[in-house]
Amino acid sequence: MKKFVYLGCLMMIGINLIGQMNGGDNSWEPVITEMFTGNGRGWNSCFKENTTNPIWCVYCPELRTGVAYNSSFLHQAFQTSHSLFNNETFSDNKMRLVATYKGPRQQDCGIDYVIPNGNDGCNSISFNCDVPPTGIYYHSGNIQTIHQNCHFGYYEVRCSMPTHRGVHASFWLWGGDNDYEEIDIMEYSEIDCQGDYTHGYSSGIWYNPNGTDFYGHNIGKQYVHTPQSEPNIGEMHIYGCEWLPDRVIFSRDGKVMKEYLVRDSIPQNKKWLKMGYTIDDYGVKTKNENGIWVFDPWEGSDTLVVDYIKYCRLKTDCNTDEYVHTFQQFNQLNNVKRSITISNPTGLLVPSGTEKTIRATEHITVNGPFEMPAIGELTLIVHECPNTD
């Protein structure tokens, strides 16, 4: 049984039993810290990032062809020219994902696309959009990690986005062991914002219990509506998610927005990390006077701006039982342990202003006098060991 145990004469102030990353949570180590810096970063002919140690590619492996054609994304082409790192036009260390309307609706788009074919993205083939006449109406920006190696950890993006009908922006984790699963850290669309274009979005989990493609359950869904007095979604905000085997916690600007703690419906498999901006055709359909849905395109070009993307994972030592007798030992607790026992017969005083997070997989026990000043923060968390092998 996982538990917190408090024994003896105890004075504790400002303690959180379940918390999000705070200033004293030193249990994390960076895996991806993408600040979009570096000169001349772009895409090579394989649609991979043109750098020494590439992280990103610009195609969607689940679509295989790079052109979406289902009811939610009618006729998008994900283009290298619409996923912009530092280049001659922009050199401010930000990523830009552009969506451009190329209509009106047509049989002939007049452009040949070279698109990736294969999981490594480097076996390119030519695709003539006139045969068959698919009608590609939008060119869009979409990036994802080259490898499916994102697992339990903390994910964060700082970005701003357009706020109008038709926008579909998302920061999410996708994929599994031949399963269709998602963790949608931030998703903004006509449906997700529920008509609240300036302050609405959603977060949630798409979980597949049966191991079959494109079958799953949309669970833990939350439609977020921030106060109108706060800066709108068109300004920079930080969207975060802590994903562990038995907990998924969504946050915005450091504030917890949703906790999901049902272990049996939390994805367990490694995923790709994705950031995309398209025009959602579903969101720009309207009913005419006869009650028939008709295509009502948003026309123009606009941009989602990404300041940074981060992925961190927990440092683990899950087979160790730790015994803490001094503040120095307390302050050096930076790994997930199996159990932690804090015990000092004469008492343990934590200095004022201390911010600390302690994590264990079985129990955290405080035995004896323990003093935490009001000016400070202590977070105790018991969760499964987040092995990422």
Side-chain angles (χ1 to χ4, degrees):
M1 177 182 292
K2 300 173 184 178
K3 57 185 177 181
F4 303 99
V5 181
Y6 308 114
L7 304 172
C9 178
L10 196 60
M11 181 175 74
M12 297 184 293
I13 303 175
I15 291 182
N16 304 313
L17 296 187
I18 293 181
Q20 184 66 11
M21 287 182 67
N22 59 39
D25 196 346
N26 299 317
S27 305
W28 301 94
E29 58 184 1
V31 180
I32 296 174
T33 304
E34 177 58 87
M35 307 302 293
F36 298 108
T37 58
N39 296 325
R41 292 178 66 173
W43 309 104
N44 61 19
S45 60
C46 297
F47 280 36
K48 287 185 179 180
E49 183 187 354
N50 186 14
T51 183
T52 304
N53 296 303
I55 299 175
W56 309 103
C57 57
V58 310
Y59 71 97
C60 296
E62 73 273 22
L63 301 175
R64 302 302 176 194
T65 64
V67 178
Y69 52 85
N70 61 38
S71 59
S72 295
F73 291 100
L74 292 175
H75 311 124
Q76 300 275 353
F78 299 107
Q79 294 292 88
T80 60
S81 61
H82 285 247
S83 300
L84 305 174
F85 285 69
N86 292 336
N87 59 16
E88 294 178 358
T89 304
F90 302 106
S91 57
D92 57 356
N93 299 328
K94 289 181 172 59
M95 177 69 173
R96 283 170 171 80
L97 301 177
V98 181
T100 303
Y101 178 62
K102 293 291 184 180
R105 191 165 192 162
Q106 54 194 351
Q107 294 290 312
D108 181 355
C109 67
I111 300 174
D112 291 338
Y113 292 92
V114 177
I115 56 177
N117 178 30
N119 290 332
D120 64 356
C122 284
N123 299 316
S124 297
I125 60 173
S126 294
F127 173 78
N128 187 325
C129 62
D130 301 335
V131 184
T134 58
I136 295 175
Y137 316 129
Y138 298 100
H139 298 175
S140 298
N142 186 82
I143 65 170
Q144 70 170 49
T145 51
I146 293 173
H147 303 294
Q148 185 184 347
N149 57 5
C150 294
H151 210 183
F152 304 127
Y154 177 76
Y155 296 84
E156 183 174 285
V157 65
R158 184 173 187 265
C159 67
S160 64
M161 67 190 79
T163 56
H164 57 74
R165 67 184 181 87
V167 168
H168 191 164
S170 55
F171 180 57
W172 54 304
L173 291 149
W174 174 84
D177 186 10
N178 296 318
D179 299 342
Y180 190 92
E181 294 179 342
E182 299 178 13
I183 299 177
D184 299 318
I185 301 168
M186 178 280 295
E187 189 164 12
Y188 176 91
S189 70
E190 191 105 355
I191 295 174
D192 293 288
C193 77
Q194 296 185 316
D196 184 1
Y197 292 109
T198 59
H199 289 79
Y201 69 97
S202 77
S203 301
I205 300 168
W206 186 262
Y207 178 66
N208 184 347
N210 293 341
T212 54
D213 287 345
F214 299 103
Y215 176 85
H217 296 298
N218 201 2
I219 61 173
K221 186 79 167 182
Q222 181 188 37
Y223 296 98
V224 179
H225 298 276
T226 60
Q228 293 293 315
S229 58
E230 293 186 3
N232 67 40
I233 287 176
E235 301 185 43
M236 285 287 178
H237 291 281
I238 297 171
Y239 303 91
C241 173
E242 181 177 324
W243 169 37
L244 297 179
D246 52 357
R247 56 195 256 130
V248 176
I249 299 180
F250 299 105
S251 62
R252 180 177 182 267
D253 295 331
K255 179 182 178 181
V256 173
M257 307 301 291
K258 172 77 174 182
E259 296 181 352
Y260 189 80
L261 306 175
V262 183
R263 200 257 190 232
D264 289 345
S265 51
I266 291 176
Q268 302 292 309
N269 299 308
K270 293 182 179 180
K271 307 196 178 307
W272 285 278
L273 180 63
K274 302 166 70 72
M275 185 87 205
Y277 174 44
T278 66
I279 300 297
D280 186 344
D281 287 1
Y282 182 85
V284 294
K285 282 183 177 181
T286 58
K287 283 186 178 180
N288 62 17
E289 62 276 10
N290 297 319
I292 299 173
W293 288 101
V294 296
F295 185 76
D296 182 20
W298 176 86
E299 299 183 18
S301 176
D302 58 18
T303 303
L304 183 150
V305 181
V306 182
D307 187 20
Y308 65 76
I309 292 175
K310 295 180 180 180
Y311 161 37
C312 304
R313 62 188 170 201
L314 286 167
K315 294 176 282 187
T316 59
D317 187 14
C318 297
N319 294 321
T320 298
D321 299 310
E322 193 76 20
Y323 297 89
V324 176
H325 307 294
T326 67
F327 173 72
Q328 182 179 11
Q329 294 173 321
F330 172 87
N331 201 41
Q332 292 175 348
L333 283 172
N334 296 325
N335 290 35
V336 182
K337 303 291 185 177
R338 180 166 57 194
S339 70
I340 297 172
T341 301
I342 301 173
S343 177
N344 187 320
T346 62
L348 185 62
L349 172 64
V350 177
S352 179
T354 299
E355 293 185 354
K356 187 67 180 175
T357 296
I358 295 175
R359 297 171 181 264
T361 64
E362 295 299 329
H363 66 83
I364 299 172
T365 302
V366 181
N367 185 7
F370 181 86
E371 185 173 345
M372 179 81 185
I375 303 176
E377 182 176 351
L378 175 59
T379 303
L380 309 178
I381 308 176
V382 176
H383 56 67
E384 288 189 32
C385 188
N387 291 322
T388 56
D389 295 333

